[in-house]
Amino acid sequence: MGKLNLDQKLIDSSRSAAARIADQVQEFIDAHTTVSTERAVLRLFGIDGEDQDKVPMPNVVVDQIHDEGKLGRGISYYLGNAMIETGMSPQEIAEDVAAGNLNLLELKEHPLEEVKEKIFELAKERMKVVDAARDKRKEYIDRVGEGEQPWLYVIVATGNIYEDIVQAKSAALEGADIVAVIRTTGQSLLDFVPYHAPTGGFGGTYATQENFRLMREALDEVAEREGGKYVRICNYCSGLCMPEIAAMGAMERLDVMLNDALYGILFRDINMQRTLVDQYFSRVINGYAGIIINTGEDNYLTTADAFEEAHTVLASQYMNEQFALKAGLPEEQMGLGHCFEMDPDITNGFVYELAQAQMARQIFPDAPLKYMPPTKFMTGNIIRGHIQDALFNIVSIITKQGLQLLGMWTEAVHTPHLHDRYLGIENAEYIFNNMRDLGDEIEFKAGGMMEQRAHEVMDKADDLLVQIEKDGIFKTIEEGKFGDVKRARDGGKGLEGVAKKTEGYFNPFITLMLGREDA
């Protein structure tokens, strides 16, 4: 395809500024941990279940340490020390803590190196669970194959995992490549992850390890059918439990996770310090497990004007890329987000949308970009809505997007029915088949409207990144420069769950997954 003539020096400048911003943030991350990060460590060690009050065991154990202000040493030390002192397994230790029979802070302390040796031995064994899931994914893809990008990405959102499974299997048989199980309203604000398979979700279904297991099993059944293909599962690695959900997904072979560095801060009012620390470990886990992340830049343009604020999307993509690289996540697993959300009454709106999608494709050539459908200006006119979705699909195939969240013609009417999803898939398949190689056959006019639009967005994004580097990410968010949403550094939910690391802190899973000895 004749590419837009983009200024490579400007791209390099923006990427360098984003890298320096990520360096600044990493200094803060490396100095802190959180309750959810430490709970994720316990989940990876295999601690499971609830106490008599239905409090998850990882919460019970971490809270015993955190309530005494000692979490900065890291849960791994206390767990390893207890294993040496008591001879019990992690699960037995958690159950004794829950029963009130064991206080990890009152045990005799063993030397740090002895504790680390014990913990790393167990961590290496537990990593085999994640390794097996990653290998199984590869085996399936090698054996039954997968769809061609852009992958057709649909959602289910019944609130009941068993009904979700029926809808997910139906979508897979209709041609979907990715099925996302929308998470129940408000779960991102829970500072724990429920167990079992709760069925009473509102607007979506609870993300639990059991629900992950059930959905994985169901979609594997589709893959095993004659003519089947591997269908990826997506869920939401966001909110107050980002690392825990990443750990659950890694063990149960999820394939895609919503995972944005800023989304929870801006749109769920979760404390920025908490989120920036949590997103790091969650991305380390996702990177190691071979899980593609989806970032949430599209959400900026549901609150701000898509034409005027497009540069904030690009700036955030640059930063999400750098945060992901810090966590060892390869570009091939970065589903950087953008969307088709301009007011359809703008003259040449389609031309501008095409320019921005092509710009993103060229700036991030190895990323499986996640392209979001029109929602903001869906009116309930289903015929017009179907046309809007078709225009969105045309942009996607021309610019070779990676993950295509399909629009639904009834977007502004109700939660999609099965036949609505079928028509959304049919729309995309028709356009993708008929325009498969169109992008390779056309060229962009040098100095034309599309090239000028791309340059305008890139210039503004670079200016914004330079300003963020100067001011710092915390001040930038406080001033509302993303999505017109302002958040305070010490405000929001979850700040009480942040702890400053003390001497001797270690996280064996970051060390093993990433090779960082100072983790």
Side-chain angles (χ1 to χ4, degrees):
M1 183 176 190
K3 293 184 176 181
L4 294 170
N5 182 25
L6 304 183
D7 185 345
Q8 188 59 47
K9 289 183 179 179
L10 188 59
I11 294 172
D12 293 342
S13 170
S14 296
R15 189 163 268 129
S16 296
R20 291 189 292 271
I21 293 166
D23 286 341
Q24 295 171 2
V25 175
Q26 195 65 42
E27 289 182 16
F28 179 85
I29 292 169
D30 288 344
H32 295 82
T33 188
T34 71
V35 290
S36 40
T37 289
E38 301 304 319
R39 294 194 304 252
V41 170
L42 295 183
R43 286 179 181 271
L44 289 168
F45 276 127
I47 290 180
D48 200 0
E50 303 166 318
D51 71 4
Q52 62 182 7
D53 297 318
K54 301 298 183 182
V55 178
M57 289 292 186
N59 287 70
V60 172
V61 177
V62 167
D63 287 350
Q64 185 183 80
I65 307 301
H66 187 53
D67 289 348
E68 298 299 322
K70 302 293 185 180
L71 195 63
R73 195 171 187 178
I75 200 65
S76 295
Y77 175 82
Y78 295 105
L79 181 66
N81 188 66
M83 290 172 66
I84 294 170
E85 182 64 17
T86 67
M88 292 192 293
S89 69
Q91 183 67 27
E92 291 169 334
I93 289 168
E95 290 172 0
D96 252 24
V97 170
N101 299 327
L102 181 64
N103 188 321
L104 301 181
L105 293 168
E106 295 177 353
L107 296 176
K108 172 188 173 183
E109 292 192 4
H110 293 262
L112 177 61
E113 290 307 313
E114 183 182 349
V115 172
K116 290 180 74 171
E117 182 179 357
K118 183 73 172 178
I119 277 292
F120 272 87
E121 179 184 355
L122 177 61
K124 288 175 183 176
E125 188 65 27
R126 289 293 305 172
M127 291 272 284
K128 293 178 182 178
V129 176
V130 180
D131 294 341
R134 188 181 58 201
D135 293 344
K136 184 65 173 178
R137 180 190 300 115
K138 183 179 184 304
E139 185 271 326
Y140 256 117
I141 293 172
D142 289 345
R143 179 162 57 85
V144 303
E146 59 184 337
E148 186 176 1
Q149 291 190 11
W151 287 327
L152 303 182
Y153 176 156
V154 300
I155 63 175
V156 294
T158 71
N160 183 319
I161 188 60
Y162 300 103
E163 179 60 27
D164 283 346
I165 285 171
V166 173
Q167 295 209 9
K169 291 173 77 170
S170 172
L173 292 170
E174 289 164 6
D177 299 300
I178 302 173
V179 175
V181 182
I182 296 296
R183 197 165 59 175
T184 187
T185 301
Q187 186 177 352
S188 60
L189 303 183
L190 298 180
D191 214 343
F192 66 95
V193 180
Y195 276 81
H196 314 301
T199 57
F202 178 78
T205 304
Y206 282 96
T208 72
Q209 190 164 343
E210 177 64 5
N211 282 358
F212 290 178
R213 186 192 67 78
L214 290 169
M215 185 60 77
R216 178 74 278 161
E217 182 180 80
L219 291 182
D220 284 349
E221 290 177 11
V222 175
E224 294 290 354
R225 294 189 183 196
E226 184 177 353
K229 64 179 177 181
Y230 188 73
V231 179
R232 286 171 166 80
I233 301 174
C234 175
N235 213 284
Y236 292 71
C237 184
S238 59
L240 286 167
C241 297
M242 295 173 79
E244 290 182 87
I245 293 175
M248 290 157 40
M251 291 186 284
E252 299 299 337
R253 191 166 37 91
L254 265 68
D255 309 282
V256 184
M257 283 284 194
L258 276 290
N259 185 262
D260 188 89
L262 304 181
Y263 175 86
I265 302 167
L266 300 175
F267 301 103
R268 294 294 180 267
D269 194 20
I270 296 172
N271 176 263
M272 63 179 76
Q273 299 178 58
R274 171 74 176 266
T275 295
L276 288 169
V277 176
D278 282 347
Q279 63 85 28
Y280 174 68
F281 188 32
S282 66
R283 289 183 174 193
V284 169
I285 297 169
N286 286 331
Y288 183 83
I291 294 172
I292 295 171
I293 67 166
N294 285 348
T295 60
E297 284 84 2
D298 53 281
N299 291 279
Y300 302 166
L301 304 186
T302 60
T303 57
D305 182 84
F307 185 84
E308 298 296 334
E309 299 300 323
H311 64 287
T312 65
V313 169
L314 180 56
S316 180
Q317 287 172 331
Y318 277 122
M319 290 194 301
N320 260 314
E321 175 189 50
Q322 295 303 316
F323 288 140
L325 289 172
K326 287 284 186 187
L329 200 122
E331 293 177 45
E332 292 77 13
Q333 289 172 231
M334 296 182 196
L336 302 173
H338 60 141
C339 58
F340 187 100
E341 281 286 21
M342 286 188 199
D343 187 335
D345 290 332
I346 293 176
T347 301
N348 288 316
F350 177 86
V351 179
Y352 296 131
E353 295 279 19
L354 182 58
Q356 291 180 186
Q358 178 62 25
M359 174 195 69
R361 180 71 285 164
Q362 289 179 220
I363 293 173
F364 306 102
D366 296 321
L369 299 177
K370 181 200 71 170
Y371 200 30
M372 297 289 283
T375 58
K376 187 175 183 179
F377 293 99
M378 285 290 197
T379 64
N381 179 338
I382 58 175
I383 297 174
R384 171 174 159 144
H386 213 41
I387 294 170
Q388 287 174 265
D389 289 337
L391 293 176
F392 160 67
N393 290 332
I394 290 169
V395 171
S396 183
I397 193 64
I398 289 176
T399 60
K400 302 182 186 301
Q401 299 299 307
L403 288 70
Q404 177 85 348
L405 180 54
L406 297 185
M408 293 294 133
W409 60 323
T410 50
E411 178 70 41
V413 181
H414 55 238
T415 300
H417 297 312
L418 287 174
H419 67 273
D420 300 340
R421 193 177 297 120
Y422 169 79
L423 289 171
I425 292 172
E426 182 185 59
N427 181 324
E429 288 183 330
Y430 171 68
I431 289 169
F432 287 2
N433 181 56
N434 278 269
M435 297 185 177
R436 175 62 62 184
D437 297 314
L438 178 61
D440 295 326
E441 295 294 319
I442 61 178
E443 296 182 356
F444 293 112
K445 179 181 177 181
M449 183 190 308
M450 293 175 62
E451 202 165 276
Q452 291 179 39
R453 172 59 179 171
H455 289 165
E456 176 189 357
V457 173
M458 289 169 61
D459 283 334
K460 289 183 177 180
D462 191 64
D463 290 342
L464 178 57
L465 288 164
V466 169
Q467 190 63 46
I468 295 171
E469 182 187 352
K470 178 182 176 182
D471 295 341
I473 191 70
F474 295 121
K475 182 180 178 182
T476 298
I477 296 171
E478 287 181 320
E479 292 179 351
K481 291 182 179 176
F482 289 104
D484 291 338
V485 179
K486 296 181 179 181
R487 299 299 185 199
R489 176 170 178 154
D490 294 327
K493 304 167 184 70
L495 177 60
E496 67 282 356
V498 179
K500 190 171 180 61
K501 292 178 182 176
T502 57
E503 187 175 357
Y505 176 91
F506 67 99
N507 181 330
F509 293 105
I510 292 180
T511 298
L512 293 171
M513 291 178 176
L514 199 57
R516 284 192 59 194
E517 292 298 333
D518 58 338

